Amino acid sequence: MPQNRRFLLQRRPDGDPVPDDFELATEETPALDDGQFLIRNRYASLDPAMRGWMDAEGNYMPPIPLGDPVRATTIGVVEDSRAEGFEKGQWVMGLNALEDYSLGASGGFTQPIDPDMVPEVTNYLSIFGAVGMTAYFGFLEVCEPREGDTVLVSGAAGAVGSLVGQLAKIHGCRAIGIAGGPDKCARLKEQYGFDAAIDYKQFSGDEDALAAAIGEAAPDGVDVIFENVGGVILDAGLMNLNLNARVGLCGLISEYNTEPRGARNLWQLIVKRASIRGLLVADYVDRFGEGAAKMGEWAAAGKLVVDEHVDVGLENAFDSFMRLFAGTNEGKMILKIA
Amino acid sequence: MPQNRRFLLQRRPDGDPVPDDFELATEETPALDDGQFLIRNRYASLDPAMRGWMDAEGNYMPPIPLGDPVRATTIGVVEDSRAEGFEKGQWVMGLNALEDYSLGASGGFTQPIDPDMVPEVTNYLSIFGAVGMTAYFGFLEVCEPREGDTVLVSGAAGAVGSLVGQLAKIHGCRAIGIAGGPDKCARLKEQYGFDAAIDYKQFSGDEDALAAAIGEAAPDGVDVIFENVGGVILDAGLMNLNLNARVGLCGLISEYNTEPRGARNLWQLIVKRASIRGLLVADYVDRFGEGAAKMGEWAAAGKLVVDEHVDVGLENAFDSFMRLFAGTNEGKMILKIA
């Protein structure tokens, strides 16, 4: 049996994760019981939500036990099987871990995927995976955009944000993106078709100046915010809401490694009779087929561009994961394991 | 003509209002033009929202101009009239100011009221006024309570909060109130029928301890929060949300005189797919008849108790207004002007 490299959580991060919170261990590849199959992981999705799973409290998922490999969505190939419906050589996708080999079981969350159905098999981790479905259902169902709406997206150069901006354009909205740095802002407009891009780094945390910049880009106000960031960026957005605006709260990446600053402009929700609603893609699992079909249609028609940022090697798991917080990834962050 | 005492805003308060921000001036009572009428103000409603009108930014209303009397809803009697439909001796209600006499105009917001329709004419400023309608529409329309829901009310001993708790009971919910001090907590249970009362002052701002106390009072979690306070109290409530919980945001009185602490537990909205929605009674003006009829029905049936705290004398306007922030009022704060 081959050796199984596993990226283990050894200590719960205190604020920013550091390399010593983890260990790349080499263990025996597990033997199969009846009903089980062995997955050779090929690609793993690296997502901000994984940071929450490392804390003792967990979030919508239980915390990763110390000493266990870091939980992640992976796609891979069945290496061996004693489970009906899973054959050697078959591609599968599931919530596994950052490791060479994972155990699957029939009736579990790991499901077959067909690499011939998509341009690249990694698309199952981006446009056809949780990222794409978060954009699709989070924006269209939770934010209820209407034609002519002005839509503000934070974390707009990120995997979900860039798709939301494109979905906004497909639905006849004006799309304004917030991202960090001139390169990302250029990408928002040139690659994803945002109408305007705001570089939050220009404002060094000055909420009023950022709010004014949003107001310049959205002279008629903001009808929808798709929020990935929180903190000053959310507060600046709240100062530009229109009556009955909807804020879809997808993430708060600015707060995952630090004590939250707190949303200080909630009073704007009263003034504008607006709402903030939390969204989680897990609620829409039974409609993923619908979402994937629509996303595929738009992608095939050239209306939807998805960027994937693929780093190579399980030994780079820490550095790749930390890109999400430094903002140095360009597109959906994926780790190639094999 | 009689003299007109007017409680003027002379300076915009910086944080907590102080007496020198105001002046009780005596001016000439204005003469009437055609289409105008003179209101002898009898009672004024003192509301937390008035604090926002004193700031330069305003909120959902324009700021009170410096040198103008402090805007307030009043009820009074027409003293003289050159306007059709308004006769001397008629009771009226409108958005006027803290002053002995206000000018009304036909076609304006001041409308006739019938004191014979209610037990006390002041009820137009409580159960049948903005307070009652805020509770009715804010709770029933915005929070969408269902039978069996657990409802958490902050500022529960206040005018709106105490009505919301009673509406929750009328609609088959479990009602938990948060208030400051043992007397108020006793009143919540004995007078308003709350199932449980939590004295936030016992926790000295310790969010975790307050959250645990809410959890003890709501072992099955909280389905609805009716929020009047914000800050630590909102954050502690957010830690107890059930899936798909609704937070109706009515006020943030803890933040009106200080820099907001900020809502630090917004991530719970994601975990619980919950929402916060701002509410403003002004949106329901055309349905006040419906709301007043239902509130009157419940009050007549003894299911709805309303307390009014009436202070006497325009010269006491400052002290009476500040009760709202000190929490020393027992019921809807009303100032008797004459």
Side-chain angles (χ1 to χ4, degrees):
Chain A
M1 293 286 276
Q3 296 285 293
N4 188 18
R5 289 175 309 154
R6 314 181 85 193
F7 185 67
L8 307 178
L9 180 67
Q10 294 292 53
R11 188 173 64 185
R12 303 207 177 280
D14 177 17
D16 286 317
V18 295
D20 281 354
D21 296 331
F22 308 93
E23 185 191 340
L24 187 64
T26 302
E27 302 178 3
E28 294 297 308
T29 302
L32 293 183
D33 276 340
D34 276 346
Q36 293 186 326
F37 55 95
L38 188 69
I39 306 158
R40 176 59 171 122
N41 288 314
R42 299 286 303 278
Y43 297 94
S45 177
L46 300 182
D47 299 291
M50 294 161 64
R51 175 64 187 83
W53 306 341
M54 296 173 188
D55 286 336
E57 306 85 42
N59 40 26
Y60 52 92
M61 298 269 284
I64 301 167
L66 287 180
D68 271 20
V70 171
R71 186 188 297 137
T73 300
T74 69
I75 54 178
V77 175
V78 174
E79 179 94 0
D80 193 7
S81 177
R82 291 174 64 182
E84 213 169 315
F86 292 89
E87 291 174 12
K88 184 173 160 68
Q90 185 175 40
W91 280 87
V92 293
M93 173 168 167
L95 195 57
N96 296 303
L98 298 178
E99 56 188 356
D100 282 321
Y101 295 92
S102 296
L103 272 183
S106 47
F109 289 116
T110 298
Q111 296 294 333
I113 55 175
D114 182 350
D116 295 334
M117 292 286 289
V118 292
E120 302 285 343
V121 71
T122 50
N123 294 169
Y124 279 109
L125 297 181
S126 59
I127 187 170
F128 300 112
V131 158
M133 297 303 101
T134 297
Y136 182 86
F137 292 105
F139 179 58
L140 296 179
E141 300 273 322
V142 175
C143 298
E144 302 179 79
R146 293 163 212 146
E147 197 175 328
D149 274 357
T150 295
V151 175
L152 178 68
V153 184
S154 67
V160 173
S162 63
L163 288 172
V164 169
Q166 295 175 84
L167 289 177
K169 294 307 297 176
I170 288 170
H171 289 82
C173 303
R174 177 173 166 80
I176 301 169
I178 303 179
D183 292 350
K184 283 187 181 176
C185 284
R187 196 148 51 89
L188 291 191
K189 295 211 274 188
E190 289 157 18
Q191 193 149 353
Y192 307 130
F194 280 80
D195 297 287
I198 297 169
D199 177 4
Y200 73 85
K201 291 188 175 175
Q202 287 196 323
F203 301 99
S204 312
D206 180 338
E207 178 196 316
D208 293 341
L210 180 56
I214 295 169
E216 266 175 53
D220 297 326
V222 170
D223 303 292
V224 167
I225 296 180
F226 193 96
E227 185 61 45
N228 289 304
V229 177
V232 169
I233 288 177
L234 172 58
D235 271 333
L238 291 177
M239 294 308 294
N240 286 281
L241 295 182
N242 280 334
L243 270 186
N244 303 309
R246 289 84 63 200
V247 180
L249 187 63
C250 178
L252 291 159
I253 198 167
S254 72
E255 304 188 342
Y256 292 170
N257 290 329
T258 56
E259 279 298 301
R261 168 185 181 276
R264 301 179 187 177
N265 292 336
L266 285 190
W267 58 284
Q268 282 292 320
L269 298 182
I270 301 177
V271 175
K272 300 298 172 54
R273 285 78 113 184
S275 62
I276 302 182
R277 183 179 296 275
L279 64 96
L280 202 59
V281 69
D283 291 343
Y284 300 94
V285 166
D286 58 354
R287 293 176 58 193
F288 273 16
E290 167 199 338
K294 293 297 282 184
M295 296 293 273
E297 206 175 284
W298 290 319
K303 293 180 179 172
L304 214 49
V305 175
V306 63
D307 285 320
E308 298 176 352
H309 186 127
V310 181
D311 279 349
V312 178
L314 199 51
E315 64 279 11
N316 296 315
F318 176 80
D319 290 340
S320 289
F321 180 62
M322 293 307 290
R323 280 187 187 278
L324 295 168
F325 302 96
T328 57
N329 57 312
E330 296 186 354
K332 174 69 193 97
M333 193 67 229
I334 293 172
L335 185 65
K336 186 176 196 309
I337 295 177
Chain B
M1 292 285 277
Q3 296 285 296
N4 189 16
R5 289 176 307 155
R6 314 182 86 192
F7 186 66
L8 306 178
L9 180 68
Q10 294 291 54
R11 187 173 65 187
R12 303 209 176 277
D14 177 17
D16 286 317
V18 295
D20 281 353
D21 295 332
F22 307 93
E23 185 192 341
L24 186 64
T26 302
E27 302 180 3
E28 294 296 308
T29 302
L32 293 184
D33 275 340
D34 275 345
Q36 292 186 328
F37 54 96
L38 188 68
I39 306 159
R40 175 57 172 125
N41 288 313
R42 299 287 304 277
Y43 296 94
S45 177
L46 300 182
D47 298 291
M50 292 161 64
R51 175 65 186 83
W53 305 341
M54 297 173 188
D55 286 336
E57 306 86 42
N59 41 26
Y60 51 91
M61 297 268 283
I64 301 166
L66 287 180
D68 270 19
V70 171
R71 187 189 296 139
T73 300
T74 69
I75 52 179
V77 176
V78 174
E79 178 94 358
D80 192 8
S81 176
R82 292 175 63 181
E84 212 169 320
F86 292 88
E87 292 174 11
K88 185 172 161 66
Q90 186 175 40
W91 280 86
V92 294
M93 172 167 167
L95 194 59
N96 296 303
L98 298 178
E99 57 188 355
D100 282 321
Y101 295 92
S102 296
L103 270 185
S106 46
F109 289 117
T110 297
Q111 296 295 331
I113 54 175
D114 183 350
D116 296 333
M117 293 286 289
V118 293
E120 303 284 343
V121 69
T122 51
N123 294 168
Y124 279 109
L125 297 180
S126 60
I127 187 169
F128 301 114
V131 158
M133 297 304 99
T134 298
Y136 183 87
F137 291 105
F139 179 58
L140 297 179
E141 300 274 321
V142 176
C143 299
E144 302 179 80
R146 293 162 212 147
E147 199 176 326
D149 274 356
T150 295
V151 175
L152 178 68
V153 184
S154 67
V160 174
S162 62
L163 288 173
V164 170
Q166 295 175 83
L167 289 177
K169 295 307 296 176
I170 288 170
H171 289 83
C173 303
R174 179 173 164 78
I176 301 169
I178 304 180
D183 291 350
K184 284 188 182 175
C185 284
R187 196 148 52 89
L188 290 191
K189 296 212 273 190
E190 290 157 19
Q191 193 150 352
Y192 306 131
F194 280 81
D195 297 288
I198 297 170
D199 176 4
Y200 73 84
K201 291 189 175 174
Q202 286 197 323
F203 302 100
S204 313
D206 179 339
E207 177 196 318
D208 293 342
L210 180 58
I214 295 169
E216 266 174 51
D220 298 327
V222 170
D223 303 291
V224 167
I225 296 180
F226 193 96
E227 185 62 43
N228 289 304
V229 177
V232 169
I233 288 177
L234 173 59
D235 271 334
L238 291 177
M239 294 309 293
N240 286 281
L241 294 182
N242 280 335
L243 270 187
N244 302 311
R246 288 85 63 202
V247 181
L249 187 63
C250 179
L252 293 159
I253 197 168
S254 71
E255 304 188 342
Y256 292 170
N257 289 329
T258 57
E259 278 298 300
R261 168 184 180 277
R264 301 179 187 176
N265 292 335
L266 284 190
W267 57 282
Q268 283 292 321
L269 298 182
I270 302 177
V271 175
K272 301 298 172 55
R273 286 78 112 187
S275 62
I276 301 182
R277 182 179 296 275
L279 65 96
L280 202 59
V281 70
D283 291 344
Y284 300 95
V285 166
D286 57 354
R287 292 176 60 194
F288 274 16
E290 168 199 337
K294 294 296 282 184
M295 296 294 273
E297 207 175 284
W298 290 319
K303 293 180 177 171
L304 215 48
V305 176
V306 63
D307 284 322
E308 297 177 351
H309 186 127
V310 182
D311 279 349
V312 178
L314 198 52
E315 64 279 11
N316 296 314
F318 177 79
D319 290 341
S320 289
F321 180 62
M322 293 308 291
R323 281 185 187 279
L324 295 167
F325 303 96
T328 56
N329 58 312
E330 297 186 353
K332 174 68 192 98
M333 194 66 228
I334 294 172
L335 186 65
K336 187 175 194 309
I337 295 177

